[in-house]
Amino acid sequence: MNLCARRIFATSANVLALTAASPALANTDAAAPQVEEARTDLEPRTENGRQIYQASQFSRFAPQTALDMAGQIPGFVISQVSTDRGLGEASQNVLINGQRITGKSNDAQTALSRIAASSVIRLEIADGATLNISGLNGQVLNVVTRPDALQGSFAWRPQWRRRVDDFWINGEVNLSGKLGKGDFTLGLSNKDGHRGGGWGYEDVRDANGDRLFIRDVRSRSQGDRPRLAGTYSLKSDNGNLLNANGALEFYEYRGQRTFNRQQAGVPDIFEVSADREDEWNFELGADYEFGLGGGRLKLIGFHRFEHSPFQDLFRSTPSDGSPENAQRFNQVIDEGESVLRAEYRWKAGKADWQLSAEGAFNYLDAESEFFQLDNGGIFQPVPLPNATARVEEKRGQMILSYGRPIAKDLTLQATLGAEYSELGVTGPNGNARRYVRPKGSIALGWKASPVLDISARFQRKVLQLNFGDFLASVDVRNNNANAGNFGLVPPQSWLLNLEANRSLGKTGSIKLKVDLEAISDLVDRIPITATTEAPGNIDGTAKRLRTEINASLLLDAIGIRGAKLDLIGAWQTASLRDPLTGEKRPMSNRGRTFWNLDFRHDIPGSNWAYGGFAEDSGDYGFYRLDYFNRNYRTGPMNGIFVEHKDVFGLKVRGQVFNLTGQTEGYDEIFYLDRRDGPVDFTHTGRNKYGLIYRATVSGTF
């Protein structure tokens, strides 16, 4: 998603070839599954340090895809798609038949949703440090499949809300099966579309807290993201592996907020803030693995392109016929990424080695225009320096990986390497520069007991830049402008991850995670001149500490057969030295707290299930040099569902969200000059959105 798309706010959330994988997964060959007695409980058996779940253990949930199964594994949460640079080391904590999921936007949830549940043999949880796959750490899920005949699944999720357009086209359809000697998946979806909005008010007060006026606020948004994506994999008779993936996606967004300003003794003012985007993008990728010498060589190619026209408009119309005031910001962005990567791995005694080399070319082309309405009602262009330019990066890296058991139940994985980058901006005031950054990690996986796994990883990372931060832009409603900054460099960090997983047997599992990070060259708002600001690298070291506890409790032990309770709680502190005041303050747009409670009860001996959830979160707000904003919820979001697993062969679910009337709130502080000076005025807003109704009809064919 480009710079434009990240501004948008919306209220609302492959089968690969069977492979001779790493030694740790060598016995996951689906052609000869181990025959076991069918089970329906959710207690895994332990084998070679891994937790093994049979497919039959998830039958009570009537799963239709591999994703339905993975979502019910006690204590396991699928990680998000990595934002790391290039393809890099493995990051998603899901493997399919012992192999990484190909591509970048081909996330694990999407890949698993295309695999029919009937193709799944078993699911295995292993510690990433024990696998000969560089970059993995903590719990990793390996889904073992045996695709055969053509199979399909579909889901339709219509949604209804008061005062908001009905959403009828949320859904997906997936196919998988054999194609020639290989396996394929194909999916068409609009599951990331939405219809959103709400109603409320905005209270505007002066520096002393006295009310200036009230705005009545209405908001509407709609977005559709149709996506066609597929994969193909082939294993030849000599063990060579081919994987290919492709995707084509369109994104159409329309958003509008209206403000009816009412103030005693002053004519009412009607204001409209509207933005739109019409994006299309595609991705192509492939990898080929074969034996060479005493090891295996994998060659990988990847290309992605995105075209994103964006418009942001703000118009203010007085009720007494006075001249309108309006501003418009237009931007068209083309961005692309091409990556070539080679990985060679071999075994020497008990050690697993891998040498990888990667070359990447990234670019962003932006054309931007800013207009203001004149007294004649015509939009006139306003100069906006550094808003039109091209940003390019050419990058290469080499990483050597080493892994081996160093004691009973203790495994080491280490990587060491560096990247070289040429980063430049063309256009007026453009520049170019080169730099070298070291990278590497040390990871340990310890099977402390049959029921306790502990892992740790210490890593030196180079973080990805947002190329849009190089360019000037304008927030037309608040009249906030970002100057262009062509001097940005990628942030770097030292990151320590700790994870402990404790199986509770038939009672469930509990997990504790701790992340500690020190970031240099963090991008935040910095002064450019006495009156302008832009994203820039700040001095000093920013620090982040995040802790998370994840528990999954199976309630059969207390007499509620078929019931499951999942809990997640997270807390984070993230701070930096403010480039304006020099004082310590929180990082912008970082979550502070999050909790989620999810209950499900599959009634034994029936096709019925019911449950509910509640969750809440808080963040640290967003800082500009002349402005502060914090968004929050006025209470937890919650909901309930009822599900029947066989309605003429279909699974049908009804859901209701926001039972307790949660609203969204925000506080904004505008300063006369800089944030270290006097306040000018404040906004306090509330947005209601009422009950949300959703039905889900899903099935297989």
Side-chain angles (χ1 to χ4, degrees), residues 375-579:
N375 291 332
I378 299 174
F379 280 101
Q380 299 293 342
V382 177
L384 190 62
N386 297 337
T388 295
R390 178 181 174 92
V391 184
E392 290 185 357
E393 183 181 30
K394 300 174 183 177
R395 182 178 54 82
Q397 75 169 31
M398 292 192 69
I399 300 287
L400 180 64
S401 172
Y402 169 82
R404 62 162 294 160
I406 56 176
K408 183 181 179 181
D409 300 322
L410 182 63
T411 304
L412 166 73
Q413 186 183 93
T415 66
L416 181 63
E419 74 165 46
Y420 168 81
S421 177
E422 296 181 0
L423 181 63
V425 182
T426 60
N429 307 314
N431 63 12
R433 55 209 178 278
R434 302 176 178 86
Y435 51 85
V436 176
R437 297 283 190 266
K439 305 172 78 170
S441 65
I442 298 177
L444 291 170
W446 179 32
K447 188 70 175 178
S449 77
V451 295
L452 178 61
D453 300 291
I454 299 175
S455 64
R457 180 172 62 175
F458 185 57
Q459 185 177 14
R460 178 61 168 177
K461 298 187 66 176
V462 180
L463 307 180
Q464 180 63 50
L465 277 172
N466 175 10
F467 284 0
D469 287 341
F470 285 78
L471 308 173
S473 62
V474 178
D475 174 357
V476 294
R477 191 212 161 193
N478 293 318
N479 201 27
N480 286 332
N482 292 326
N485 183 2
F486 291 172
L488 293 171
V489 299
Q492 304 174 83
S493 76
W494 293 102
L495 176 61
L496 176 63
N497 308 110
L498 301 171
E499 182 176 313
N501 297 278
R502 173 69 159 84
S503 173
L504 304 177
K506 295 182 178 180
T507 309
S509 69
I510 188 168
K511 176 194 298 183
L512 177 65
K513 295 176 65 177
V514 179
D515 297 338
L516 180 61
E517 188 171 24
I519 310 170
S520 57
D521 293 324
L522 180 72
V523 175
D524 202 271
R525 305 281 166 162
I526 65 170
I528 298 298
T529 69
T531 58
T532 61
E533 64 177 87
N537 299 107
I538 63 171
D539 296 329
T541 301
K543 298 177 181 179
R544 181 180 69 87
L545 171 64
R546 185 180 189 275
T547 60
E548 177 183 321
I549 187 168
N550 184 325
S552 187
L553 304 177
L554 308 177
L555 305 184
D556 299 64
I558 61 173
I560 312 178
R561 293 180 54 236
K564 181 168 171 278
L565 185 65
D566 295 307
L567 308 97
I568 299 176
W571 171 83
Q572 179 172 252
T573 178
S575 63
L576 54 78
R577 190 69 61 181
D578 194 305

Side-chain angles (χ1 to χ4, degrees), residues 248-262:
L248 174 64
E249 180 180 84
F250 297 88
Y251 179 56
E252 180 184 80
Y253 173 84
R254 302 290 184 269
Q256 178 175 290
R257 298 179 73 195
T258 60
F259 306 84
N260 187 12
R261 170 176 164 173
Q262 301 171 341

Side-chain angles (χ1 to χ4, degrees), residues 594-615:
F594 173 80
W595 63 265
N596 174 277
L597 179 65
D598 199 327
F599 171 77
R600 178 184 175 102
H601 185 198
D602 294 87
I603 301 174
S606 80
N607 285 317
W608 289 96
Y610 68 92
F613 81 98
E615 69 174 32

